[in-house]
Amino acid sequence: KKAVVIGSGLGGLLTAAQLAKDGWSVEVYERLSLIGGRFANIEYNGYQMSTGALHMVPHGIKGPLATMLRELGADFDIVQSDPMAIVRMPKDLSQTNYKDGFEDISYLDFKKHLTSKNKVMMVLLTLGFKVGLIRPKKTGFKTWYSKYIQDDRIDRCADSFAGWALSTTADEVTTREMFEIFHNVYRYGGPGILVGGCQTVIDELVRIISSYGGTITTDTEVTKIIVKDCKATGVVAGGKEIAADLVISDIGHKEAWEICTIDGVEGECASHVLALSSSVFKDYEEKLDAMKPSAGLKICFASDERILPEGCSLMLTPYSNRINGLNEVTNADPGLAPPGKHLVMCHQRTALDRLSEIDEEIELGLQDVKDMFPDKNIEILMVQVHHGRWPVNRAFSGTDFGNKTPVSNLLVVGDGAKGEGGIEIEGITLGVRDAMKIIRD
Ligand code: FAD
């Protein structure tokens, strides 16, 4: 049986590797000359930066991605952040910025800064959720907890975590999803950095796919998904028609739907025909309309000195103007920078209505770097803006709606089809696991 995978991002390659291992004949088509999508390294003057990810695996060595990679026989190494995270607090807690000094504390010590009443409330809420007394659903996380706890420090930390991990505010994520995320942190553990960066995983997946006879063709855009009688029967890639028993889209639900050619009718017209023919298609299109990509801005800089304690690669920065958090990736793998240099990748969530003022957002981020590291010799290496069709996340966490499409034999993987409670690539892995279950069943 033959499967065609559209796009060579992490979701596409993980699915291709599993299918190839299961005995499918697999062909991956990638429109760029680069393999790996938003999970590939970009080398610049000896620094290993990336097309997207901060080389970070949210649940490290015990998480879903690491587990799936081991099952596939991949060779990789992840260095856990220890402590899991450092939080930068203002020295004087009455201040709301770092200009008058700061203190770096372990995330475990954050609770020391809370009032006794709020400490007790946090314990009660967590216990209530765990034993099933609290069943929060679609309410925004901040809206929900603010009914019980009002504390600017918690608000800032919640936004900092959501911004760094999901590129959203704490209120743009449902309470249910946030609790699932916390549950997964508890279950699998905290983040780690990939030795060699994202590219290690991509290179290994390419090796595994090839070892089972699969192929990856770059510089070849898929322009059509051919659908006959509501069944995907192949694609048009690089101008050629390719028949397939299964089509996997790693380009998102919306993008795949846009290129479906249904019984010879293309694009919007096709969806119109389908929308008329069944309420299933209408439901699907409504869900597509509700799905929003999250945007973000990444600043990579080099430092002559280490900025985080040895062993720790993550810092949350709740009191900066824009930057939510940063990864000092060379604390895990010094080989990601030239000898004696340190590589830091900062992430800031960007509100969709601020994309038109992106130069100001960049300036605010750069100013944060200056305020947070006033005494360090820093060289800005790269600033990247991620939005639209190269976003941080194709769907705000918690708004993903699975792998299935109204067309049989067409499944979606990647960050538009993440599994519940899965931060970024961990969510992609959970989504791939679900897709494989559908295929194998
Ligand atoms: P993509 O990587 O988008 O791959 C899709 C591929 O399909 C692309 O290569 C594209 O060129 C190709 N394509 C598109 N259209 C076509 C077509 N018609 N025909 C053929 N090919 C096509 N996650 C983490 O877990 N840890 C992090 O540290 C982290 N940090 C991040 C920081 C930033 C700034 C960003 C942007 C993302 C970050 N993420 C992180 C998220 C993570 O990088 C992405 O979720 C993940 O890489 C997305 O993989 P994907 O398979 O969904 O799709």
Side-chain angles (χ1 to χ4, degrees), residues 21 36 49 61 77 83 95 115 125 228 235 265 291-292 297 302 328 330 350:
K21 196 176 173 201
M49 290 175 290
I61 204 74
D77 199 4
Q95 294 298 316
T115 61
L125 291 177
K228 286 186 186 138
V235 299
V265 189
M291 196 183 247
K292 274 192 267 164
L297 208 153
E328 185 169 359
T330 36
T350 306

Side-chain angles (χ1 to χ4, degrees), residues 223-228 257-267 270:
T223 49
K224 281 181 191 174
I225 298 171
I226 304 160
V227 181
K228 286 186 186 138
W257 193 238
E258 274 169 18
I259 58 170
C260 277
T261 303
I262 294 151
D263 296 332
V265 189
E266 287 184 25

Side-chain angles (χ1 to χ4, degrees), residues 32-94:
L32 301 178
S33 49
L34 173 128
I35 298 178
R38 287 167 283 156
F39 207 70
N41 287 17
I42 299 177
E43 210 220 307
Y44 170 74
N45 282 352
Y47 293 93
Q48 294 294 334
M49 290 175 290
S50 77
T51 50
L54 313 179
H55 299 317
M56 191 252 329
V57 180
H59 295 306
I61 204 74
K62 290 190 188 147
L65 177 68
T67 305
M68 188 176 281
L69 289 173
R70 274 193 297 273
E71 284 163 7
L72 283 166
D75 184 13
F76 65 100
D77 199 4
I78 295 172
V79 178
Q80 294 292 122
S81 179
D82 181 20
M84 208 190 286
I86 290 285
V87 185
R88 178 158 287 192
M89 301 293 285
K91 198 152 209 133
D92 171 357
L93 287 175
S94 65

Side-chain angles (χ1 to χ4, degrees), residues 166-169 172 254 288-297 322 324 347-359 361 385-397 399:
L166 313 169
S167 225
T168 62
T169 64
E172 285 170 332
K254 266 186 197 168
L288 290 187
D289 286 343
M291 196 183 247
K292 274 192 267 164
S294 63
L297 208 153
R322 285 296 187 273
N324 304 114
H347 185 74
Q348 66 192 68
R349 161 207 171 249
T350 306
L352 298 180
D353 61 4
R354 291 290 297 163
L355 285 169
S356 54
E357 309 295 333
I358 200 66
D359 289 346
E361 293 297 305
V385 180
H386 294 268
H387 66 102
R389 300 226 156 172
W390 204 263
V392 180
N393 231 324
R394 277 196 202 99
F396 275 40
S397 286
T399 66

